[in-house]
Amino acid sequence: MLNIKRAIVLVWQSASGWTVIHVILTTIQSILPLALLYIIKLIVDNIAISLKIADKTQIFDHILFLLFNAGLVMLLINFNAVISELASTTLSERVTDHLQVILFKKAIEIDLESYESPLHQDILERAKWEAPHRPSRMLNNLTSAIASSISLLAIAGLLISLHWGLLGVLLFASIPTMAIRIRQSKVLYKWHRHQTEVERKANYYGHLLLGNHPAKEIRLFNLGNLFIERFYNIRQQLFQQKLAITKRQASTRLLAQGCTGIAILATYGFIIHQTIYGKFQLGDLVLYSQTFQRGQGALKDLISNLAGLHENNLFLADLFEFLALKPNLIESAHPKLVPRPMQQGIEFKNVSFRYQNSPRQAIKQVNLTIAPGEIIALVGENGSGKTTLVKLLCCLYDVTQGSITIDGINLRQFSTTDLRRQIGVIFQDYTRYQLTVADNIWLGNIDLPLTSEKFTQAARQSGADAVIQSLPQGYETLLGTWFKGGEELSGGQWQKIALARAFLRDAQLVVLDEPTSAMDAKAEAEVFEKFRDLMRDRSALLITHRLSTVKMADRIYVIHQGEIVENGTHDQLMALQGTYAHLFETQARNYQ
């Protein structure tokens, strides 16, 4: 019942006016057919009377009046049906859009780590399936159940006036169907929940086959038919399992409906018997047989809607399970402002970190400082923990042990929004937004107006300006190939756009994770030639495998398997003849 209440609240928040209209129209729609049925009963009774009298004029006039009223009721039924469909469709769209927004807000609220957990991925996937339609379905079930109940109350009164046993037969015949529907809902829900990861795997192959990024390798390595076969095999496995469940459910329902049919036929026999032996008039036969038939329909609808409520209640639990996820990073109740400008700088104190699904420590007892205006370089092999340190600094993850401070204040005491505003980051796997050039850069600092001159300044600093000038509409050129008229860029050109996005941010710290990996040597040299000028009063954290670019750094930290093993200037580390010197000399020999 709690989920039903929460679903109704969500629907009400989505479109309260349309919800009221929908409920009223559904209720009216349940009453009008009964009024029409009663008018038809009166028409039949008058026809039966007319057969027994000579002067039929008055009776015929009365029948015409009843026909006119029947026509009005039919017109109202049709008009109400059209308006009900409009209200239902509109309400469903509003609810879907509202819930998608709620889902998106929750998705950006939870920790980055949740996206790296298979368990949380299953929860998110189920929420995506159920959010768009379950609450509106639940409201439809509820309003239809209320409408069916109203119809049943009126029908019950008529049937009791005939014989109380008819109502008993009608209700008793529905019990097996009701029990079966509820049990089948539970079976289906458990199966869907159990198969979430398998469904995700099938969807993953679909993503590979339809996505533009995997398209090159799929063709070069001839992977298409392999992935199609794997997708089909998974879908076949799911199909066979669901077919087996459906067959069992169908046979059970068939048995229950057979028993119900026998009881209903016996009831019709009783009504016909009473009419033949003169206890009912012809109009009563029409009225009671139609009433019983409509009672069947109303009870069937009621059972269907109650079972639907139960089923939607089960599946809606998946949405609320996702909405109940809590971030591990708890915002301070009274956050402090990040010092601006920093006086002492940033310090990692004995920082350790372990991913949720791994027993291995990704970061081990790291001590590292970044002074105001200082350029720091992180060097190490792939998987050594360099990017993880950046994510900890940006509060995308929370440290397992130790602390990270700015001017001696723990990061946890700052608002994450304020903290991230002070950090401009470009990750190695930066996003290529299928938007205009201006949007791609502006997303680095959405507080600026789109007409700001800082756009061109950031583009010049990153080397993107020359690329932009060559595009058909300059800054208004649509990038990427997803939408009509988009221009695709090379990897190096995209990287310059991403760098401009990082430089646009008015941040005290700029973090560049492999910022020139897709650039040629000339473009890379141009960026780093003016790097110190670009930083000016900013601090910088540079991650790169190209050791020729880190010589300019004030200090270099060498990280190996999550630990800082060396630190110092380029000259100091070369003199040490340790890990850094070995890596540098190895790279240098490759260029000779």
Side-chain angles (χ1 to χ4, degrees):
M1 287 301 294
L2 177 61
N3 283 345
I4 295 175
K5 182 179 178 181
R6 292 174 71 183
I8 292 170
V9 169
L10 284 173
V11 171
W12 182 262
Q13 290 171 346
S14 304
S16 55
W18 283 106
T19 303
V20 172
I21 292 171
H22 176 68
V23 171
I24 291 172
L25 291 174
T26 304
T27 305
I28 292 172
Q29 195 74 357
S30 68
I31 296 171
L32 288 175
L34 296 176
L36 179 62
L37 182 61
Y38 185 72
I39 292 172
I40 292 171
K41 181 259 189 216
L42 294 177
I43 291 172
V44 173
D45 281 344
N46 277 271
I47 291 172
I49 293 171
S50 70
L51 297 175
K52 299 175 183 178
I53 61 175
D55 185 10
K56 298 178 172 55
T57 303
Q58 189 175 359
I59 291 288
F60 184 69
D61 289 342
H62 186 56
I63 290 172
L64 286 178
F65 175 73
L66 290 173
L67 282 171
F68 176 76
N69 283 283
L72 282 178
V73 174
M74 290 172 67
L75 186 63
L76 284 173
I77 289 173
N78 292 330
F79 177 77
N80 193 78
V82 171
I83 302 301
S84 293
E85 185 178 355
L86 173 65
S88 178
T89 302
T90 304
L91 180 61
S92 178
E93 291 291 330
R94 295 294 298 273
V95 170
T96 298
D97 293 343
H98 179 68
L99 280 171
Q100 290 286 17
V101 170
I102 290 176
L103 200 67
F104 295 152
K105 286 182 176 179
K106 188 64 183 183
I108 63 174
E109 175 191 321
I110 59 177
D111 295 325
L112 182 65
E113 226 173 333
S114 296
Y115 289 91
E116 298 164 353
S117 161
L119 174 62
H120 286 152
Q121 281 293 315
D122 287 347
I123 293 172
L124 175 58
E125 192 73 10
R126 288 193 293 267
K128 286 194 300 187
W129 290 343
E130 310 309 337
H133 57 271
R134 289 291 175 183
S136 52
R137 277 191 189 178
M138 190 169 275
L139 177 69
N140 288 334
N141 289 146
L142 192 60
T143 52
S144 297
I146 292 170
S148 299
S149 299
I150 293 170
S151 296
L152 274 174
L153 285 174
I155 289 167
L158 284 171
L159 291 178
I160 289 172
S161 68
L162 173 62
H163 194 287
W164 64 268
L166 295 179
L167 181 62
V169 171
L170 191 64
L171 296 174
F172 181 76
S174 68
I175 291 174
T177 305
M178 180 75 171
I180 289 168
R181 282 291 302 271
I182 290 175
R183 182 178 178 279
Q184 289 177 347
S185 295
K186 290 180 179 178
V187 170
L188 193 61
Y189 171 72
K190 287 180 180 178
W191 179 79
H192 270 290
R193 191 174 177 88
H194 179 69
Q195 295 298 331
T196 302
E197 188 169 0
V198 181
E199 289 268 11
R200 279 203 300 115
K201 190 173 289 186
N203 292 339
Y204 174 66
Y205 283 117
H207 165 74
L208 291 175
L209 288 162
L210 298 176
N212 65 326
H213 287 299
K216 295 186 292 293
E217 284 199 8
I218 285 176
R219 284 152 180 77
L220 289 171
F221 298 136
N222 194 27
L223 302 176
N225 289 328
L226 171 66
F227 289 166
I228 290 171
E229 183 182 356
R230 289 186 178 182
F231 171 84
Y232 182 76
N233 287 341
I234 294 172
R235 295 307 308 176
Q236 279 295 105
Q237 173 191 338
L238 292 170
F239 169 76
Q240 293 298 334
Q241 291 175 359
K242 192 167 185 179
L243 182 63
I245 293 172
T246 305
K247 283 180 178 177
R248 289 195 299 270
Q249 291 180 343
S251 59
T252 309
R253 278 204 307 271
L254 188 63
L255 180 63
Q257 288 169 358
C259 296
T260 302
I262 292 170
I264 289 168
L265 284 174
T267 304
Y268 279 129
F270 173 75
I271 294 172
I272 293 168
H273 175 274
Q274 295 294 86
T275 305
I276 290 173
Y277 283 92
K279 294 188 177 180
F280 292 154
Q281 296 181 21
L282 196 58
D284 292 330
L285 171 64
V286 173
L287 176 64
Y288 290 124
S289 61
Q290 286 294 309
T291 298
F292 193 79
Q293 183 179 349
R294 289 186 181 275
Q296 272 183 268
L299 194 56
K300 184 178 179 181
D301 288 343
L302 180 62
I303 290 170
S304 176
N305 285 304
L306 290 177
L309 270 174
H310 178 72
E311 178 181 317
N312 288 320
N313 183 55
L314 290 173
F315 280 96
L316 204 59
D318 294 326
L319 171 61
F320 292 124
E321 182 182 18
F322 175 69
L323 295 180
L325 290 178
K326 300 295 182 185
N328 294 324
L329 287 160
I330 307 300
E331 292 276 352
S332 172
H334 304 286
K336 296 181 179 179
L337 292 175
V338 177
R340 187 175 180 91
M342 293 185 293
Q343 301 297 321
Q344 303 168 32
I346 300 166
E347 184 176 4
F348 286 68
K349 297 180 182 178
N350 300 317
V351 169
S352 296
F353 173 75
R354 180 178 63 83
Y355 288 97
Q356 282 184 353
N357 301 306
S358 173
R360 181 181 64 86
Q361 290 275 25
I363 301 295
K364 307 170 190 173
Q365 295 292 308
V366 165
N367 290 282
L368 179 153
T369 59
I370 308 173
E374 188 176 31
I375 297 176
I376 296 297
L378 279 181
V379 173
E381 299 169 343
N382 286 332
S384 59
K386 302 184 298 297
T387 301
T388 301
L389 282 175
V390 174
K391 291 177 179 177
L392 290 171
L393 176 58
C394 296
C395 275
L396 294 173
Y397 303 142
D398 196 10
V399 299
T400 307
Q401 293 177 344
S403 64
I404 306 173
T405 62
I406 296 179
D407 285 359
I409 305 170
N410 196 303
L411 296 189
R412 292 176 179 173
Q413 297 183 46
F414 300 126
S415 157
T416 53
T417 302
D418 184 38
L419 172 68
R420 291 166 187 167
R421 194 178 288 121
Q422 305 301 321
I423 306 174
V425 185
I426 170 175
F427 286 108
Q428 186 175 4
D429 56 347
Y430 59 88
T431 302
R432 301 181 179 190
Y433 296 100
Q434 306 287 305
L435 304 170
T436 65
V437 173
D439 278 337
N440 265 276
I441 298 175
W442 176 67
L443 293 174
N445 189 356
I446 58 175
D447 294 328
L448 288 175
L450 275 165
T451 55
S452 173
E453 293 181 359
K454 292 186 177 180
F455 278 69
T456 53
Q457 182 183 348
R460 283 195 297 269
Q461 290 172 343
S462 70
D465 188 56
V467 176
I468 296 167
Q469 296 306 321
S470 68
L471 296 174
Q473 285 85 41
Y475 282 84
E476 295 308 312
T477 303
L478 185 67
L479 297 182
T481 57
W482 284 24
F483 305 108
K484 186 178 179 180
E487 290 279 337
E488 187 57 280
L489 303 180
S490 68
Q493 290 171 328
W494 268 113
Q495 200 159 37
K496 289 177 180 179
I497 298 290
L499 272 172
R501 184 160 63 239
F503 291 151
L504 184 68
R505 201 168 187 82
D506 186 19
Q508 297 190 71
L509 173 68
V510 176
V511 180
L512 303 179
D513 184 353
E514 297 291 346
T516 58
S517 58
M519 295 184 192
D520 57 40
K522 182 175 180 292
E524 180 187 36
E526 289 173 355
V527 170
F528 284 110
E529 271 177 17
K530 50 188 176 181
F531 190 73
R532 276 205 174 273
D533 290 336
L534 294 177
M535 292 303 100
R536 290 194 193 92
D537 299 325
R538 302 181 185 186
S539 301
L541 179 58
L542 178 64
I543 299 175
T544 181
H545 286 94
R546 299 186 184 180
L547 300 187
S548 59
T549 63
V550 303
K551 291 193 290 184
M552 62 147 79
D554 297 308
R555 267 182 307 140
I556 302 165
Y557 287 86
V558 182
I559 185 167
H560 177 68
Q561 294 185 354
E563 295 181 272
I564 301 292
V565 293
E566 294 174 6
N567 77 86
T569 65
H570 170 75
D571 291 337
Q572 289 171 341
L573 292 176
M574 290 302 292
L576 190 63
Q577 285 298 299
T579 303
Y580 176 83
H582 174 70
L583 291 172
F584 188 87
E585 289 167 357
T586 301
Q587 282 195 13
R589 279 198 299 271
N590 290 333
Y591 285 100
Q592 290 175 356

